[in-house]
Amino acid sequence: MQEYNAKIKIENKQKSEDGDEVFTQNLPCRFMYKGKKAYILYKAEGVTSKIRVENGIVTVTRMGEFSNEMVYHEGDNKPFLYKMPYGEIEMELVTERVFINLDENGG
């Protein structure tokens, strides 16, 4: 398994009754392949995040003061717990589309 320093651009689109919002972050990260799985590790605002990409499914695991695990699979609706210092809240992740652009050289 070879590990590389890289950069990641994360775009999240959140829909609510008040309208849509898009949040974008550009962060340094570590990128690696282990077998047919790709891993991206990064830190933001005191939270360590691990992204695993395998067979068109993206799993994001956050560890720290705010923690959760979200599984993005096209067409799925999945509940998950968002853990915060002051409690937990159950949320639903609705994945309309998953776009993955990765190869041995990154993406």
Side-chain angles (χ1 to χ4, degrees):
M1 175 174 60
Q2 206 164 16
E3 190 174 312
Y4 305 93
N5 290 322
K7 292 184 180 181
I8 185 171
K9 179 180 180 181
I10 301 168
E11 288 187 358
N12 287 312
K13 183 177 184 180
Q14 296 181 5
K15 295 182 178 185
S16 72
E17 295 171 359
D18 298 329
D20 297 351
E21 287 188 80
V22 177
F23 300 93
T24 303
Q25 291 180 294
N26 293 291
L27 301 164
C29 67
R30 293 188 340 248
F31 174 77
M32 66 200 78
Y33 267 104
K34 187 175 183 180
K36 294 189 179 220
K37 299 174 191 170
Y39 292 90
I40 301 165
L41 303 165
Y42 67 94
K43 284 188 177 185
E45 300 171 15
V47 176
T48 300
S49 297
K50 175 178 76 174
I51 300 172
R52 183 180 76 206
V53 179
E54 179 183 22
N55 298 325
I57 299 170
V58 178
T59 304
V60 179
T61 305
R62 292 194 173 101
M63 300 153 281
E65 194 173 8
F66 296 86
S67 63
N68 59 46
E69 181 175 272
M70 296 178 289
V71 179
Y72 296 86
H73 185 252
E74 199 163 301
D76 277 359
N77 297 1
K78 293 193 183 282
F80 69 95
L81 278 180
Y82 192 82
K83 298 178 185 174
M84 301 168 280
Y86 33 85
E88 299 177 347
I89 187 168
E90 187 171 325
M91 301 179 85
E92 182 179 27
L93 178 65
V94 179
T95 307
E96 294 176 358
R97 188 179 98 177
V98 176
F99 176 75
I100 301 167
N101 182 21
L102 292 175
D103 61 26
E104 307 79 39
N105 301 311

